[in-house]
Amino acid sequence: KAGVTQTPRYLIKTRGQQVTLSCSPISGHRSVSWYQQTPGQGLQFLFEYFSETQRNKGNFPGRFSGRQFSNSRSEMNVSTLELGDSALYLCASSPIAGTPGSEQFFGPGTRLTVL
Amino acid sequence: GDSVTQMEGPVTLSEEAFLTINCTYTATGYPSLFWYVQYPGEGLQLLLKATKADDKGSNKGFEATYRKETTSFHLEKGSVQVSDSAVYFCALSEPGGSYIPTFGRGTSLIVHP
C-alpha cells in the first residue's frame, strides 16, 4: 500500500506570495492532518480534515487554510507569505478519526523557503 | 491542557551505549502514549505505543513503559547503533476529545561509531 505522498517536496517563494501544498493520504484513510515543523517551535498542529470537513484547528492565523476533497486528498494554502512561514510542512493521515490509540502516518513533508 | 515534556537534546552517544530519553506528560484523562521517530529528510513514523497504564510498547529494540503514577513514558534501548541517529518525539492522544496527538518538542539523538 502506498504511503502518504506530498507535493511538491521543495518550494521557494518570496514574501507576499501565496502557496498551495498537496497531500494524498494512504488509500482508505479519511482523516488528514497538517503540521508545521520549525527548529524553534517544534511540531505545531495546523488543522485536521475528516470527510471533507475541518474538524480541528490549531492556533494559526487565517492566512493558513485548507480543504479536503471527496477522495480524501487534501490541500493547504498559505496566503501573503512571511519569512516566518519557512518550515517543513507535514501531512499525516489516519484510518479512522477519533479512535483511541490510532497512529498517524506521516508523509515526507514539503520544505517551504520564503525569501 | 495536555502537554508533553521531553529532555533537551541533542543526546550524543557512542555505538552500543545505553539510551534513555525522558518523557513526561500532563493530561486530564487516560491518554494513549506514543514515540515517533524522524530520520533525516523524512516524515515521522511510529516507533511504539502504549494505550493503558503499565503497558510496555516495544519495537526495533526500543522500549517504553506507560507509568501512570509518574506520568512518564521514557524511551530506552540497550545498545544503540549509528542508524538510530534521528529525532525522537513523544506524543499523547486523549480519548473523549479530538484524538489529535499532542507532541513533545523532539529529542535529537546522535550516535557515533
Side-chain angles (χ1 to χ4, degrees):
Chain A
K1 195 183 259 192
V4 177
T5 58
Q6 292 187 245
T7 56
R9 291 292 311 276
Y10 302 91
L11 207 48
I12 299 175
K13 292 286 187 179
T14 56
R15 280 179 299 174
Q17 289 187 306
Q18 76 165 20
V19 66
T20 298
L21 312 182
S22 181
C23 171
S24 293
I26 291 172
S27 177
H29 287 194
R30 296 168 63 191
S31 170
V32 175
S33 298
W34 288 90
Y35 295 85
Q36 182 195 66
Q37 185 178 22
T38 60
Q41 299 297 319
L43 202 62
Q44 293 188 285
F45 171 72
L46 280 155
F47 28 67
E48 183 234 358
Y49 286 87
F50 180 77
S51 293
E52 303 178 64
T53 301
Q54 186 181 89
R55 285 162 41 98
N56 296 285
K57 188 176 189 305
N59 190 25
F60 276 81
R63 300 186 296 107
F64 292 81
S65 63
R67 59 178 176 168
Q68 186 180 34
F69 302 95
S70 58
N71 62 358
S72 292
R73 189 177 71 84
S74 177
E75 291 181 345
M76 68 162 281
N77 184 276
V78 188
S79 62
T80 320
L81 284 166
E82 301 177 359
L83 295 178
D85 297 333
S86 295
L88 180 67
Y89 289 88
L90 293 165
C91 168
S93 72
S94 296
I96 303 172
T99 304
S102 61
E103 68 176 282
Q104 292 197 314
F105 296 80
F106 283 81
T110 294
R111 173 73 63 185
L112 172 65
T113 301
V114 182
L115 302 177
Chain B
D2 295 348
S3 66
V4 175
T5 303
Q6 292 182 235
M7 60 190 292
E8 295 268 339
V11 173
T12 305
L13 296 172
S14 298
E15 207 165 24
E16 298 184 5
F18 184 86
L19 168 71
T20 299
I21 299 178
N22 291 337
C23 170
T24 57
Y25 67 89
T26 302
T28 54
Y30 299 94
S32 295
L33 302 175
F34 307 83
W35 277 101
Y36 284 83
V37 59
Q38 184 178 31
Y39 297 104
E42 299 181 13
L44 281 70
Q45 56 184 271
L46 181 68
L47 181 60
L48 53 84
K49 70 178 183 182
T51 58
K52 61 183 188 295
D54 300 324
D55 268 2
K56 177 186 285 189
S58 61
N59 186 24
K60 299 180 181 179
F62 291 89
E63 293 183 339
T65 301
Y66 189 141
R67 300 287 188 199
K68 184 172 179 293
E69 63 276 13
T70 55
T71 61
S72 64
F73 193 54
H74 304 321
L75 182 67
E76 297 182 336
K77 186 176 185 183
S79 176
V80 293
Q81 306 299 313
V82 172
S83 58
D84 294 327
S85 298
V87 181
Y88 292 81
F89 292 87
C90 185
L92 70 81
S93 172
E94 188 143 34
S98 68
Y99 296 100
I100 299 299
T102 299
F103 286 89
R105 292 293 300 269
T107 301
S108 175
L109 171 65
I110 301 169
V111 181
H112 293 294

